Amino acid sequence: MTDIPAVDSAPRESGAAEEDFRELTRRVTDAGLMRARRGQYVTAIAVVWTMNAVGWAALVLSDGAWWQVVLAALWLAVWHEQLAFLLHDAGHRQISRSQKTIRALGLIHGNLMLGVCFGWWVQHHNRHHNHPNHLELDPDILRRVAIFAPEQARQRTGLARFLAAHQRHLFFPLLGLEGVVLRIAGVIALRRRAVRRPWLEGGLMALHAVLFFGALFLLLPWPAVALFLAVHQGVLGYLLGLAFAVNHKGLPTRVGREWSWLERQVLTSRTLPTGFLGDFLYGGLNYQIEHHLFPGMPRSALRHAYPLVKEFCAERGIPYTETGVLESYRDLARHLGSASEVLRSGTVTA
């Protein structure tokens, strides 16, 4: 099992921690890793759009056979995940520093092409980056039924309590719903007027639904539509869920405790070095420590930042969690079981 950094060690002095981060920033900047990669992103956007078009063209040319529907659903799930990563990179200003360009890219790739509310997601994700694994401030923890520390157990009642008690076995099966959950969260944010342009964002999401479902029912009989949706949404949910699940879960959590930016990003994240296929499927987020330290760093630079950040943490004596893909999922399952043990043992009352 991967060693988890201790959480009871004293935080580094503020001045020293800030100086450390300035030094690390200088190193990655001198290595050219913060340099904009506009050409790479233009190419990436063109490829993702083309591959999505190929998937829809395959449906147009198919005769509705079940295997053709399944293949098209699998293909589009992979490339819709890549749309989500473009949305993510735009939100972090990796693609452009222009606010208008960012908004346009986010609305097109998020609201229109995926049905995900970009305005809600940016707010949600920025709060997560500022407070990773904080039990009271990290929205990625607060919106989950799962619990990641025993002290969360009292907050679960009814069905949520049952799901949390058995989360070690249910967490991974339920990841297939991640794509649906993200859309629902966006709709809730729109209803609460929690985004700046609710009519624009909601209108684009509604247009996505009309075009997406309209195309499916125009091209396929309803049983084939049901098969397509089950495969496409399930696989997309797993691709997104598995890419995000191991980034922070099972690592130190906090309540009220404050670390420096450097410490809270490194100690609450893990990096999963992979080959180029892994980088593609994870959208570069397998280098989670590097991404959290430098959210604006272009995706293609993260694998090059990894050895620099790891070496720096070793120099400063800061624990750096690095593991393999399968090992990370085993660690997460163990942690989920450990965190929910108080519910199964009945030692916590509602």
Side-chain angles (χ1 to χ4, degrees), residues 56-288:
W56 285 108
L59 274 182
V60 171
L61 298 174
S62 73
D63 58 11
W66 70 267
W67 62 271
Q68 294 174 331
V69 172
V70 169
L71 287 178
L74 291 171
W75 178 269
L76 285 171
V78 170
W79 292 103
H80 281 184
E81 181 201 29
Q82 297 304 310
L83 284 173
F85 289 145
L86 288 175
L87 177 157
H88 171 272
D89 293 359
H92 280 301
R93 303 192 176 193
Q94 296 175 20
I95 302 176
S96 172
R97 303 299 187 201
S98 165
Q99 188 62 39
K100 290 183 178 179
T101 302
I102 291 167
R103 187 182 303 117
L105 289 171
L107 292 175
I108 291 170
H109 293 97
N111 301 61
L112 181 60
M113 299 183 76
L114 281 176
V116 173
C117 183
F118 180 66
W120 161 79
W121 181 86
V122 168
Q123 297 175 26
H124 178 282
H125 198 61
N126 284 343
R127 292 200 306 272
H128 159 69
H129 267 262
N130 287 328
H131 307 285
N133 273 19
H134 195 296
L135 297 180
E136 297 174 340
L137 299 175
D138 184 352
D140 271 356
I141 283 182
L142 297 176
R143 74 179 176 91
R144 304 285 181 180
V145 173
I147 62 175
F148 304 100
E151 49 264 47
Q152 291 182 286
R154 293 184 183 276
Q155 304 167 9
R156 301 298 186 267
T157 59
L159 177 61
R161 185 182 180 90
F162 172 83
L163 294 174
H166 302 281
Q167 63 184 18
R168 175 173 183 172
H169 303 291
L170 294 176
F171 184 82
F172 288 103
L174 291 176
L175 279 183
L177 299 174
E178 185 67 13
V180 176
V181 169
L182 287 174
R183 294 181 179 92
I184 292 174
V187 171
I188 293 173
L190 289 173
R191 291 188 60 185
R192 294 176 177 173
R193 299 296 182 93
V195 298
R196 291 181 59 188
R197 297 173 177 81
W199 289 107
L200 174 60
E201 297 222 22
L204 289 173
M205 291 169 67
L207 181 58
H208 162 81
V210 170
L211 294 175
F212 183 75
F213 288 103
L216 288 179
F217 280 103
L218 180 65
L219 297 172
L220 302 171
W222 72 262
V225 171
L227 175 62
F228 177 93
L229 289 174
V231 174
H232 176 265
Q233 292 299 303
V235 173
L236 176 60
Y238 269 108
L239 289 173
L240 292 173
L242 292 175
F244 295 131
V246 296
N247 293 339
H248 305 280
K249 308 302 183 285
L251 289 163
T253 56
R254 301 172 292 138
V255 177
R257 178 188 180 87
E258 197 53 66
W259 290 319
S260 69
W261 174 268
L262 175 65
E263 290 171 311
R264 68 176 180 262
Q265 306 307 334
V266 175
L267 296 178
T268 63
S269 306
R270 62 164 60 83
T271 282
L272 285 63
T274 67
F276 286 102
L277 178 60
D279 291 0
F280 172 80
L281 292 175
Y282 277 96
L285 298 181
N286 45 317
Y287 302 103
Q288 188 67 190

Side-chain angles (χ1 to χ4, degrees), residues 2-6 24 247 251-252 262-263 265-274 284-294 301-324:
T2 304
D3 292 333
I4 302 301
L24 178 58
N247 293 339
L251 289 163
L262 175 65
E263 290 171 311
Q265 306 307 334
V266 175
L267 296 178
T268 63
S269 306
R270 62 164 60 83
T271 282
L272 285 63
T274 67
L285 298 181
N286 45 317
Y287 302 103
Q288 188 67 190
I289 293 175
E290 292 69 28
H291 169 61
H292 256 255
L293 284 170
F294 304 102
L302 292 171
R303 66 168 22 250
H304 303 291
Y306 152 64
L308 294 179
V309 173
K310 182 180 177 181
E311 179 183 11
F312 181 86
C313 288
E315 291 175 6
R316 297 301 195 273
I318 301 173
Y320 181 102
T321 303
E322 173 187 355
T323 185

